[in-house]
Amino acid sequence: PGTAAGRVGECGTGLGVHDPVRGRWRCGVVDCTGSWGEFGGDFTDGARRFTGETHRADGKKILRRMDLVPEAGNVRQVSHASRDAGATWAPHYDYTYVRRKP
């Protein structure tokens, strides 16, 4: 598990594992507002590619597509979101995780 901070005031933690029964990657994340996201995906074209949904603390559901892509020793996480059941998609966030120096 790890923690991440994005824009000012954002925080969260998540856990990603490979599910050998389903043969897929699974990821669950929770943020500091109480929103919960659950995703499933595969390793394709050099990246982990997930689809899933976030259930916000206010009861709204957001569909999500999320890619984790290795880049120069770091990992870039790009998310797109749909708030209209998949009719349209918009950029949600674009983070780069940088490995800490020992």
Side-chain angles (χ1 to χ4, degrees), residues 45-84:
D45 299 324
R48 286 189 201 165
R49 304 193 187 278
F50 292 94
T51 57
E53 55 189 40
T54 297
H55 297 256
R56 294 183 8 171
D58 63 9
K60 294 182 181 175
K61 180 172 79 172
I62 301 171
L63 298 182
R64 301 260 310 279
R65 297 187 300 218
M66 179 174 57
D67 295 336
L68 290 116
V69 184
E71 289 186 351
N74 301 316
V75 175
R76 183 175 178 197
Q77 182 176 345
V78 179
S79 174
H80 288 81
S82 174
R83 290 173 169 77
D84 56 11

Side-chain angles (χ1 to χ4, degrees), residues 15-39:
L15 176 65
V17 297
H18 187 265
D19 182 340
V21 174
R22 294 182 179 175
R24 301 189 79 203
W25 286 92
R26 299 187 66 199
C27 179
V29 294
V30 64
D31 71 18
C32 55
T33 70
S35 295
W36 170 256
E38 191 167 336
F39 308 91

Side-chain angles (χ1 to χ4, degrees), residues 3-12 31-32 93-97:
T3 59
R7 296 173 288 223
V8 174
E10 290 186 354
C11 63
D31 71 18
C32 55
Y93 61 77
D94 186 341
Y95 297 149
T96 297
Y97 298 95

